[in-house]
Amino acid sequence: MRVLVVGGAGMIGSHVCEMLLADDHEVWCLDNLLTGFGASVAGLTDRPGFTFVNADVSGALPADLPAMDWILHLASPASPLDFRHLSLEIMAVNARGTEHLLALARQHGSRFLFASTSEVYGDPQEHPQRETYWGHVNPIGLRGCYDESKRYGEALTMAHGRRYDLDVRIVRIFNTYGPRTRHYDGRVVPSFICSAIADEPLTVIGTGEQTRSFCYVTDLAAGILRVIAAPESAARGEVFNLGNPDEWTVGKFAELVVEVAGSRSPITRQAVREADPVYRDDPGRRCPDITKARTVLGWEPTVPLREGLAETIAWFRATRGSEYARRPDR
Ligand code: NAD
Ligand code: UDP
């Protein structure tokens, strides 16, 4: 197949590109490098069947893209610390970007996958979260730009699928971590790892009793490949939770990072009122119910958290001082 991976230079996208190439597909990676890195796909550029296109999917798409069998829309900043200074870019990429790609899918009869998020469940009142849950989202809070634009992206995807008879599919991705992340990303995994490898304090925001469930990036990418490989009868017009149901409190997770990194870092607390205002709407519990992915796709994560963390910590150590660690001026 010929597959367009939009956001293909990102953490998840670059692993998806790599797996698609390993399966002998032709891959077109389109990315504007807003939060991704050329270095994440540099190893693929010499491989036959790989093309990189530097473009912003929220603007006009390059006119010379060939017809694709699949379009995977994985482009969007995703760190809560981006929600203030990239709020409008986030809304644009999930709204206009999705619209542009659905138009392209319509033009060539391509299949389309939209990367949504567990954030569509907001601060969930149902636990664990199943795909049938409608969510509990604050549209006007600081997370609203992300949560609501992903919800709109989902609605847009489904509306195009229905009106134009397209094969569209949605994945709701839960907290995913791994190599090829900005060191200064701000999400809890890179944040704790960077502190731990520098023997500096890890800052747990709030009580530390809030939970997250962490999925290693290769497991997640494999899940996306399963979704696009599934027959129409099973996956067309469907939404799948993809994530690891191994649930951790943030406090216990901090201890685990210190242990796996062999660090001397202390763990400190920061009250929510003293932290970035984006944490005021911090979801209290999050854990995917992946029954649907297990039964329909035969997919489940296989990398234990300790193992994935050890890989990720090794990568962060190896890339200290690289472009992944240099925060651009904005
Ligand atoms: P990432 O920041 O590493 O990757 C996103 C990629 O999209 C980057 O390479 C970035 O440069 C690119 N991009 C952003 N705006 C663009 C635009 N307008 N045009 C072209 N490219 C653009 O983030 P990630 O963690 O790999 O996330 C990938 C996708 O998965 C996103 O859609 C995100 O919302 C979703 N997601 C991720 C997680 C997670 O925990 N990592 C959880 C839920 C959902
Ligand atoms: N968090 C933390 N310290 C940090 C960064 C995040 O305690 O340095 C907490 C945050 O309050 C949240 C959890 O870790 O409860 C996960 O946050 P993250 O930003 O990774 O993403 P989210 O799952 O909230 O989108």
Side-chain angles (χ1 to χ4, degrees):
M1 298 192 294
R2 183 183 294 137
V3 185
L4 179 65
V5 183
V6 184
M11 189 243 309
I12 296 176
S14 61
H15 287 89
V16 168
C17 288
E18 216 168 272
M19 282 188 190
L20 286 167
L21 279 176
D23 281 354
D24 286 333
H25 299 298
E26 180 182 332
V27 175
W28 288 64
C29 166
L30 188 147
D31 202 297
N32 67 349
L33 305 181
L34 178 62
T35 55
F37 296 87
S40 298
V41 289
L44 306 180
T45 45
D46 290 342
R47 300 255 288 268
F50 183 80
T51 307
F52 179 76
V53 182
N54 188 333
D56 179 353
V57 74
S58 305
L61 290 177
D64 50 355
L65 291 174
M68 302 288 166
D69 297 296
W70 267 103
I71 297 171
L72 314 184
H73 184 6
L74 310 180
S76 172
S79 168
L81 287 193
D82 290 330
F83 293 173
R84 199 196 319 248
H85 65 284
L86 293 179
S87 55
L88 299 180
E89 289 81 353
I90 289 170
M91 299 196 83
V93 75
N94 289 305
R96 275 207 310 277
T98 305
E99 201 161 350
H100 293 158
L101 293 172
L102 282 162
L104 186 69
R106 215 181 132 203
Q107 188 185 334
H108 293 140
S110 319
R111 295 167 193 224
F112 179 81
L113 176 130
F114 180 63
S116 185
T117 167
S118 53
E119 286 277 334
V120 299
Y121 301 125
D123 187 7
Q125 314 272 288
E126 174 180 304
H127 192 82
Q129 293 80 53
R130 289 173 298 181
E131 290 88 348
T132 46
Y133 178 50
W134 289 0
H136 180 236
V137 169
N138 175 4
I140 58 167
L142 278 169
R143 302 178 89 97
C145 62
Y146 186 66
D147 303 8
E148 293 294 5
S149 67
K150 287 288 189 184
R151 289 168 70 96
Y152 176 73
E154 287 197 12
L156 203 59
T157 298
M158 295 304 287
H160 275 73
R162 292 185 187 109
R163 178 168 299 192
Y164 301 115
D165 198 23
L166 292 176
D167 181 349
V168 297
R169 306 178 186 192
I170 294 169
V171 290
R172 292 190 183 139
I173 300 171
F174 284 65
N175 296 66
T176 297
Y177 69 98
R180 307 183 191 147
T181 311
R182 298 171 297 174
H183 286 219
Y184 48 88
D185 180 274
R187 280 176 278 182
V188 69
V189 179
S191 163
F192 283 180
I193 289 178
C194 285
S195 301
I197 64 180
D199 288 321
E200 287 169 0
L202 279 66
T203 305
V204 170
I205 298 164
T207 62
E209 290 304 309
Q210 70 271 34
T211 67
R212 294 295 186 272
S213 312
F214 302 102
C215 187
Y216 191 58
V217 64
T218 52
D219 274 336
L220 203 286
I224 289 177
L225 264 69
R226 285 290 177 96
V227 173
I228 67 171
E232 277 198 32
S233 56
R236 181 177 172 140
E238 294 292 334
V239 51
F240 295 94
N241 282 343
L242 293 182
N244 192 322
D246 182 20
E247 186 181 1
W248 285 72
T249 67
V250 169
K252 285 281 171 211
F253 179 65
E255 291 171 16
L256 181 71
V257 173
V258 169
E259 183 202 318
V260 177
S263 164
R264 293 190 302 273
S265 294
I267 296 171
T268 58
R269 307 257 150 174
Q270 184 176 41
V272 170
R273 65 174 185 285
E274 287 161 11
D276 188 290
V278 77
Y279 298 110
R280 284 182 201 150
D281 289 345
D282 200 12
R285 294 181 79 187
R286 185 184 291 152
C287 179
D289 181 322
I290 57 164
T291 307
K292 187 171 174 185
R294 274 197 181 111
T295 52
V296 177
L297 310 170
W299 172 86
E300 63 182 354
T302 59
V303 181
L305 184 54
R306 277 173 186 278
E307 217 172 275
L309 268 182
E311 289 282 331
T312 310
I313 289 167
W315 180 87
F316 271 84
R317 282 205 166 102
T319 51
R320 282 177 103 174
S322 76
E323 62 183 297
Y324 291 97
R326 281 191 294 275
R327 188 191 295 270
D329 295 331
R330 269 203 251 275

